[in-house]
Amino acid sequence: MCGIVGIVGHSPVNQQIYDALTVLQHRGQDAAGIVTCHEGELFLRKQNGLVRDVFQHRHMLALKGNIGIGHVRYPTAGCDSASEAQPFFVNSPYGICLGHNGNLTNASELAEVLIREDRRHLNTSSDSEVLLNVLASELSQAGSPRASVADIFSALQAVYRRCRGGFAVVAMIVGHGLVGFRDPHGIRPLVLGKREHADGSEYMLASESVALDMLGFTRVRDVAPGEAVFIDEQGRLYAQQCAPAGTSTPCIFEYVYFARPDSIIDNISVHKARLRMGDLLAEKIRRIWPDHDIDVVIPIPDTSRTAAVQVSQLLGIKYREGFVKNRYIGRTFIMPGQEQRAKSVRSKLNVIDLEFRGKNVLLIDDSIVRGTTSAQIIDLAREAGARRVYFASAAPPVRYPNVYGIDMPAASELVASGRTEEEVARIIGADRLIYQDLTDLVHACQHHDSQVHEFDTSCFSGEYVTGDITPSYLARLESERSDQAKEKRRQVHRHSLKAIRAV
Ligand SMILES: O=P(O)(O)OC[C@H]1O[C@H](OP(=O)(O)OP(=O)(O)O)[C@H](O)[C@@H]1O
Ligand SMILES: NC(=O)CC[C@H](N)C(=O)O
Ligand SMILES: [Mg+2]
């Protein structure tokens, strides 16, 4: 899940985009990039690493201009090399830069057509580079020295006809303006904000509203599924529905784990959704286990805290912080390899023994995906002297791959895939395991003014809203993107780099 941001302002945007990326850092820790434009010239800095490491003072000074876009990356396609950091750039037509959150499900077919028919060159295996080239190819049909707003929207209509999958995009056309668009199902989030300046209105697009809050922009609305917006350099906003409005099905995993709790996505407060997840989980525990013997509810920091507070309150059991998190270690789940993920859990979390000693503890997490966190945490709780260790997940079992921008490509790596809840409990070592029901999760995220009635629940249900996901697609994805396949590619990459240096 990447984070994207774009700003058209009346003063330099470099620091503002940097600040926005720091609050979107939880969406991608592998690479970061910013591109700005000043008097028709582009300034780009991108590299692997966290925002604070990628941009030094000298880079910031060089990022001139009142318009720009930024990206933090968590790879879901291609590889994790710096060459695939975003934003991407193509010089023809007009000069276009693009940052993408999501995953195209027909990227390889598109790449073939781009090379064979559109005569375009692709330099990486990134699906985002494919998306940029589809946009460039369609925009080159405009045929005029400067694309009109109508040309931009008609190019986007063609992009929607060609591209499948999940995508929220910010793009910048040199000397012209900022484009934002979102896939026809609205799987990936994109929100529009506005701020008044002495010289006129300023606009911002971002993955999450928290980035608007930080910069003093007011949340105007979410970009609608299949809609495109264009803001020219003078600060005029244009919007058009470019793909037939389908059913809006935002990714439910944003509410479970990805988004910050202080964000509002599709008019749904992530914080409130997580509170309701806690309420419904507590109700289920009460229903199926009325004579439980839980002494204390303990969250697994960070994301599960909101739900855990509610579980404790509704069950009338005390809440205790039993794990202390090292604030300098990032999110484990979005780290690239299993070895790194497993090591990080232990170095990230430590126990306060006295909260466990002699007690029956109920540990709460927002989700169990590979089981990396839960298995280690349960061991820690036992070592700390817990009598019984129960575990509850605020989300249902994750049994199916995600193909829309979350890197869960291989069913075989998901601890609940093909297993019953009892089997998962045995594997992670829990005395009892309780999962949220999917209908309850959906209820927790819905509310009457949100205008969202359905969600992309594919990793829980195996139902893919784009309708193009076949067993052979999933088999190919697994063979290309499992941890094992990625590690093999990294080795080859390392060797090839050595070979180049040796020459
Ligand atoms: O079953 P797993 O494969 O371990 O994945 C699930 C865990 O990963 C995430 O935590 P993470 O450390 O990434 O982030 P957080 O600090 O926001 O909870 C999530 O909150 C779960 O704790
Ligand atoms: N997590 C994402 O949104 C990833 C975007 C894009 N597919 C990439 O791998 O760079
Ligand atoms: Mg966690």
Side-chain angles (χ1 to χ4, degrees):
M1 192 72 52
C2 301
I4 54 174
V5 56
I7 302 180
V8 185
H10 293 289
S11 64
V13 290
N14 51 358
Q15 188 62 43
Q16 302 180 59
I17 295 178
Y18 177 96
D19 292 344
L21 291 182
T22 60
V23 291
L24 297 176
Q25 186 79 81
H26 60 283
R27 301 181 67 85
Q29 301 170 166
D30 276 46
I34 297 178
V35 60
T36 58
C37 186
H38 179 64
E39 294 179 354
E41 202 180 337
L42 287 175
F43 303 92
L44 171 68
R45 165 69 183 163
K46 57 176 181 171
Q47 190 49 263
N48 281 351
L50 298 174
V51 175
R52 63 164 187 252
D53 301 323
V54 168
F55 303 98
Q56 271 112 53
H57 189 59
R58 65 195 153 91
H59 304 122
M60 295 303 291
L61 290 178
L63 291 166
K64 286 189 284 190
N66 297 353
I67 175 169
I69 61 176
H71 190 268
V72 283
R73 182 171 190 233
Y74 156 56
T76 59
C79 65
D80 49 19
S81 100
S83 61
E84 299 196 4
Q86 302 191 35
F88 277 107
F89 164 70
V90 279
N91 78 337
S92 173
Y94 312 116
I96 312 171
C97 303
L98 176 141
H100 164 220
N101 168 212
N103 201 53
L104 297 186
T105 51
N106 62 340
S108 38
E109 295 81 347
L110 286 170
E112 250 182 71
V113 175
L114 281 169
I115 293 165
R116 203 182 53 235
E117 291 173 23
D118 301 64
R119 308 276 158 91
R120 301 197 70 96
H121 169 69
L122 295 172
N123 210 45
T124 70
S125 46
S126 160
D127 61 327
S128 311
E129 192 192 12
V130 167
L131 179 51
L132 170 58
N133 277 275
V134 172
L135 173 61
S137 176
E138 294 302 333
L139 208 48
S140 65
Q141 311 291 323
S144 52
R146 185 181 168 87
S148 65
V149 175
D151 290 335
I152 294 169
F153 286 143
S154 91
L156 284 165
Q157 284 170 350
V159 168
Y160 280 115
R161 282 196 293 274
R162 293 175 68 171
C163 296
R164 301 273 166 277
F167 48 92
V169 176
V170 287
M172 182 170 67
I173 305 175
V174 173
H176 203 0
L178 174 69
V179 182
F181 57 100
R182 197 174 170 200
D183 64 74
H185 299 275
I187 300 172
R188 301 271 64 97
L190 189 63
V191 64
L192 173 72
K194 188 178 179 182
R195 188 174 67 182
E196 291 310 328
H197 181 277
D199 297 330
S201 300
E202 301 182 303
Y203 285 96
M204 175 168 175
L205 290 163
S207 297
E208 290 184 36
S209 61
V210 62
L212 308 180
D213 300 345
M214 295 306 291
L215 297 177
F217 280 78
T218 308
R219 191 172 68 95
V220 176
R221 63 183 178 84
D222 296 275
V223 174
E227 184 193 30
V229 297
F230 175 67
I231 302 134
D232 67 18
E233 285 196 338
Q234 289 66 47
R236 286 178 295 239
L237 170 77
Y238 306 85
Q240 188 174 305
Q241 192 64 35
C242 289
T247 321
S248 170
T249 52
C251 171
I252 206 156
F253 212 67
E254 289 279 352
Y255 301 96
V256 169
Y257 166 70
F258 262 102
R260 273 191 32 160
D262 43 346
S263 282
I264 296 173
I265 297 181
D266 285 312
N267 230 17
I268 300 167
S269 151
V270 175
H271 173 70
K272 281 198 184 161
R274 287 185 190 159
L275 289 175
R276 289 190 292 261
M277 285 174 212
D279 292 345
L280 294 170
L281 185 58
E283 272 175 30
K284 177 167 177 184
I285 295 171
R286 243 191 338 228
R287 196 171 61 242
I288 65 168
W289 195 12
D291 54 346
H292 69 76
D293 57 356
I294 306 163
D295 297 317
V296 59
V297 170
I298 297 181
I300 298 175
D302 269 328
T303 303
S304 71
R305 283 197 173 114
T306 322
V309 168
Q310 290 307 102
V311 172
S312 114
Q313 224 168 48
L314 265 83
L315 292 181
I317 303 171
K318 72 179 173 210
Y319 173 93
R320 283 285 192 269
E321 292 279 350
F323 295 100
V324 179
K325 183 178 161 180
N326 178 343
R327 69 179 75 209
Y328 301 102
I329 297 187
R331 292 184 124 182
T332 326
F333 174 72
I334 60 174
M335 288 177 177
Q338 184 57 14
E339 204 184 320
Q340 193 183 349
R341 283 192 288 262
K343 252 198 244 152
S344 298
V345 172
R346 188 60 188 93
S347 48
K348 187 166 93 168
L349 294 168
N350 196 22
V351 281
I352 299 176
D353 289 23
L354 61 92
E355 295 298 352
F356 294 86
R357 213 172 298 134
K359 293 183 186 149
N360 295 337
V361 298
L362 173 63
L363 306 183
I364 310 275
D365 210 347
D366 52 86
S367 56
I368 303 170
V369 182
R370 296 177 178 91
T372 322
T373 309
S374 43
Q376 291 196 48
I377 288 294
I378 291 171
D379 280 351
L380 280 177
R382 290 199 197 283
E383 282 166 25
R387 191 146 33 111
R388 290 181 162 274
V389 184
Y390 307 125
F391 203 98
S393 161
V398 174
R399 292 208 162 98
Y400 305 92
N402 186 290
V403 298
Y404 301 130
I406 303 176
D407 200 33
M408 300 178 192
S412 60
E413 291 169 4
L414 306 171
V415 67
S417 161
R419 294 200 176 100
T420 63
E421 297 184 11
E422 292 68 30
E423 285 168 330
V424 177
R426 259 199 305 283
I427 289 178
I428 64 171
D431 291 310
R432 181 161 186 166
L433 170 63
I434 298 163
Y435 278 110
Q436 182 93 269
D437 291 335
L438 182 54
T439 42
D440 284 345
L441 175 62
V442 170
H443 280 139
C445 297
Q446 278 170 333
H447 78 90
H448 49 279
D449 309 323
S450 71
Q451 286 155 2
V452 172
H453 307 291
E454 291 172 41
F455 294 85
D456 155 44
T457 59
S458 49
C459 57
F460 305 117
S461 61
E463 287 161 22
Y464 296 92
V465 292
T466 50
D468 57 342
I469 304 305
T470 58
S472 67
Y473 177 89
L474 293 176
R476 196 178 73 204
L477 186 68
E478 175 147 1
S479 74
E480 286 171 1
R481 290 203 58 80
S482 64
D483 279 331
Q484 213 181 357
K486 276 184 270 186
E487 188 46 43
K488 218 161 152 188
R489 253 201 317 274
R490 262 182 226 121
Q491 305 266 355
V492 170
H493 188 68
R494 271 199 285 275
H495 281 121
S496 66
L497 280 181
K498 269 192 207 136
I500 290 167
R501 267 197 223 113
V503 170

